Amino acid sequence: MAVTTHFQGRFEVEFKYRLENSAAFSRALAALGPEVMVEGDQEQDCYFDTADGALAREGKSLVIRTMQTAGIRLWIVKGPGPDRCEAVNISDADKAASMVRTLGYQQVLTIHKRRSIYFVGPFHITLDHLAGVGDFAELAIMTDDEAALPAYREQLLALAARLGLGPEQRESRSYRTLCEPRS
C-alpha cells in the first residue's frame, strides 16, 4: 500500500496506548518488519477554535500540522465522534492559519511532539513523544468504508496484542485533552 493511500478516507479507527517502555515497543514493532515513513520527525499541531470553544464542545478539532523532516503540512478536521477524521495536504501552513483566523477562529493550543511513522500492512503506527506528557503508540487506519470500521477495530486490537500492548495501557483522551491547561 502506497504511503499516500494510508492517510486517505473520511473515517479513522485509532487506538492510542501509553508506553511505559518505548524501547520494548520499538523492538516488538521492528520484529514485524514495518515500512518506515519517517523517524524522529518534529511535529507542531496548532489547534483552532472559536472564542467560546464551540468546536471542542461539539467534539471537533481543527488542526494545522507541520511535519519538519517530512516537509508535510496538513489541514486536519477530526470529529464529531471518534471515527471522523479528514486531512488534506497544504503547501503553506502559515497562510492556512491566517485564513482560519480570518474566518474567526483563534489558536487555542500548540502541541510539539517527536513522531515516527511506520506501516504494517494496511495500518499505520505512530510512536510519539510529548515532552512532559509521555510516550505513546497510535495504531490506526483510515478508510471511506464506514461498514469496515468494526472489522478494522478487531484487527487493530489483534495487532496491539502482537505488539505487547494491553487494554490497561489504552489512552482514550486526545493529545489536545492531555495537553490543555487545567482550569
Side-chain angles (χ1 to χ4, degrees):
M1 178 175 282
V3 169
T4 55
T5 61
H6 270 278
F7 300 106
Q8 292 180 353
R10 293 177 298 136
F11 302 99
E12 178 182 49
V13 177
E14 178 183 88
F15 294 113
K16 182 185 305 157
Y17 295 85
R18 185 175 287 273
L19 300 177
E20 297 302 321
N21 186 339
S22 59
F25 174 80
S26 293
R27 286 190 299 274
L29 178 59
L32 297 180
E35 177 185 347
V36 178
M37 177 183 165
V38 65
E39 289 186 312
D41 203 347
Q42 297 297 317
E43 287 191 10
Q44 175 180 283
D45 288 349
C46 296
Y47 287 77
F48 294 86
D49 206 334
T50 59
D52 66 353
L55 292 178
R57 278 196 317 279
E58 295 171 10
K60 299 176 184 175
S61 290
L62 170 56
V63 181
I64 304 290
R65 174 174 294 161
T66 304
M67 300 171 66
Q68 289 181 356
T69 305
I72 297 171
R73 280 122 184 82
L74 299 170
W75 180 311
I76 303 168
V77 175
K78 287 194 173 196
D83 295 332
R84 276 299 295 217
C85 179
E86 294 186 77
V88 64
N89 284 306
I90 55 176
S91 60
D92 188 332
D94 292 334
K95 178 63 83 176
S98 175
M99 293 167 65
V100 168
R101 284 191 291 274
T102 298
L103 291 171
Y105 295 94
Q106 57 187 319
Q107 191 168 329
V108 295
L109 181 66
T110 301
I111 297 175
H112 297 273
K113 62 185 172 245
R114 185 179 66 242
R115 173 171 274 188
S116 299
I117 303 173
Y118 307 93
F119 303 125
V120 174
F123 305 109
H124 53 273
I125 299 173
T126 62
L127 179 56
D128 293 332
H129 173 76
L130 284 72
V133 180
D135 295 315
F136 300 88
E138 292 181 338
L139 285 62
I141 188 169
M142 294 188 75
T143 182
D144 281 318
D145 184 2
E146 191 172 10
L149 298 179
Y152 284 143
R153 282 187 192 95
E154 287 181 27
Q155 292 171 33
L156 282 169
L157 290 172
L159 178 58
R162 287 179 61 198
L163 290 166
L165 301 171
E168 71 284 354
Q169 294 171 270
R170 284 270 303 274
E171 177 56 71
S172 61
R173 296 171 291 178
S174 68
Y175 287 144
R176 178 179 180 171
T177 300
L178 290 169
C179 294
E180 280 180 326
R182 310 278 187 256
S183 39

